[in-house]
Amino acid sequence: SDFISILFCDIRSFTSLSEKMNPQQLVDFLNDFFKRMTSPISENIGFVDKFIGDCVMALFSIPEESNALEALCSVKAAIGMQKQIDSFNKDNARSGDKMLRVGIGIHSGPVIIGTVGSEERMESTVTGDTVNLAARLEGLTKFYKSKILISQSTFEFIKDDKSLEFRELDLVQVKGKEEPVTIVEVLNSDSKQIRKQKLDSREKFSEALASYRRQKWTAAITKFKSCLKACPEDGAASLYLERCKMFKKEPPPKGWKGQQVFDQK
């Protein structure tokens, strides 16, 4: 098997966006979207494996290069893709509810590259846990209101890169995986203001997380509240507040280590 970095990118609330378009507008919109998404991927030596509806799956697998470089390229591509989305919104004067938003999930790990299909139409395809986890992380961006989520595995390769800004977000157990996975938010694509607010409250957030994992609900609530005060748009902090209040009433099961279970895809 090969070790690669995989990126999934999906349009948020695509259904409600597409309902307002006629078939031709929809085709034009998707063509424009995919064209814009493809350039940061190829600039960062990735390649688009497939487009699924409004979703892009890209692989970063560079012969003779290190896993670390592939991981870095995938994250730089994600940041480039979010930049393209910002300029798409500007070019099309989209604001408020009409703004196009995408979530991106990245995971680095071993995959099996095989061929599927009939003789007429052979397709090389990547399968395995790594693909599923990358797709799941993309799905989680909605919950945390994050633009880019990466797994611990990807993070380990790039954590020393000075141009990137991160914060550890959660420990999650996703469908189809036994072991919980630590997920990390990349902050580079947040708006200037939100980025600054999240960075300023990053220490507080990590203290809040520690209290939460030690089941010190009252302390965690106080700290997450101050994170929200610093950054009202902090989706993760408001999620945690809800969880703390819930656990205060009904504590988590024995042996809980802070993991959040996500059953849906």
Side-chain angles (χ1 to χ4, degrees), residues 97-116:
D97 288 346
K98 302 226 165 31
M99 264 169 79
L100 178 63
R101 292 189 168 87
V102 305
I104 300 176
I106 297 173
H107 173 51
S108 308
V111 291
I112 294 152
I113 299 184
T115 335
V116 293

Side-chain angles (χ1 to χ4, degrees), residues 20-260:
K20 301 181 181 73
M21 303 181 203
N22 66 39
Q24 189 53 51
Q25 286 170 322
L26 188 58
V27 168
D28 294 343
F29 165 80
L30 280 173
N31 282 337
D32 182 23
F33 169 72
F34 287 135
K35 203 165 98 205
R36 290 181 193 239
M37 293 295 93
T38 312
S39 59
I41 292 169
S42 44
E43 279 159 25
N44 288 285
I45 38 189
F47 62 95
V48 173
D49 182 66
K50 47 173 138 339
F51 297 125
I52 316 154
D54 59 315
C55 172
V56 182
M57 172 180 168
L59 311 178
F60 295 78
S61 164
I62 308 147
E64 311 303 314
E65 279 300 351
S66 67
N67 295 339
L69 182 76
E70 294 170 351
L72 184 62
C73 287
S74 67
V75 174
K76 293 213 156 142
I79 294 167
M81 289 160 85
Q82 291 288 6
K83 265 210 180 86
Q84 288 279 359
I85 294 296
D86 293 341
S87 60
F88 175 91
N89 285 324
K90 239 195 205 106
D91 296 348
N92 293 285
R94 283 172 173 264
S95 60
D97 288 346
K98 302 226 165 31
M99 264 169 79
L100 178 63
R101 292 189 168 87
V102 305
I104 300 176
I106 297 173
H107 173 51
S108 308
V111 291
I112 294 152
I113 299 184
T115 335
V116 293
S118 59
E119 275 176 36
E120 292 84 62
R121 186 150 187 252
M122 297 297 278
E123 270 193 27
S124 160
T125 180
V126 224
T127 53
D129 250 12
T130 299
V131 183
N132 295 338
L133 185 56
R136 295 276 189 274
L137 291 187
E138 183 284 309
L140 292 182
T141 57
K142 301 186 206 50
F143 290 95
Y144 299 95
K145 290 200 176 75
S146 300
K147 293 195 166 181
I148 303 171
L149 287 181
I150 65 176
S151 67
Q152 179 74 24
S153 158
T154 303
F155 175 68
E156 289 301 332
F157 287 119
I158 59 176
K159 59 183 179 199
D160 297 325
D161 189 286
K162 292 286 172 277
S163 68
L164 300 173
E165 290 156 352
F166 313 98
R167 62 176 187 169
E168 181 181 327
L169 217 49
D170 206 351
L171 184 64
V172 301
Q173 193 150 7
V174 296
K175 202 176 165 66
K177 250 184 133 29
E178 289 303 299
E179 282 302 300
V181 184
T182 298
I183 57 172
V184 173
E185 183 178 34
V186 178
L187 303 176
N188 292 61
S189 296
D190 281 326
S191 71
K192 233 194 201 115
Q193 184 189 5
I194 291 177
R195 187 172 166 180
K196 184 179 182 330
Q197 292 171 342
K198 282 184 182 175
L199 286 169
D200 288 347
S201 59
R202 189 164 55 175
E203 290 299 304
K204 183 60 86 185
F205 187 86
S206 117
E207 288 167 22
L209 201 49
S211 300
Y212 170 81
R213 288 174 181 169
R214 289 200 304 269
Q215 307 196 24
K216 305 267 185 268
W217 313 123
T218 314
I221 287 172
T222 311
K223 291 168 185 163
F224 282 124
K225 272 188 177 154
S226 87
C227 292
L228 263 181
K229 205 174 160 193
C231 179
E233 293 286 303
D234 190 340
S238 58
L239 260 187
Y240 273 115
L241 265 181
E242 291 314 303
R243 287 185 204 166
C244 290
K245 289 173 186 164
M246 199 180 70
F247 283 142
K248 214 174 155 172
K249 285 197 190 88
E250 196 178 316
K254 218 172 150 52
W256 180 81
K257 294 185 182 64
Q259 72 274 28
Q260 183 64 17

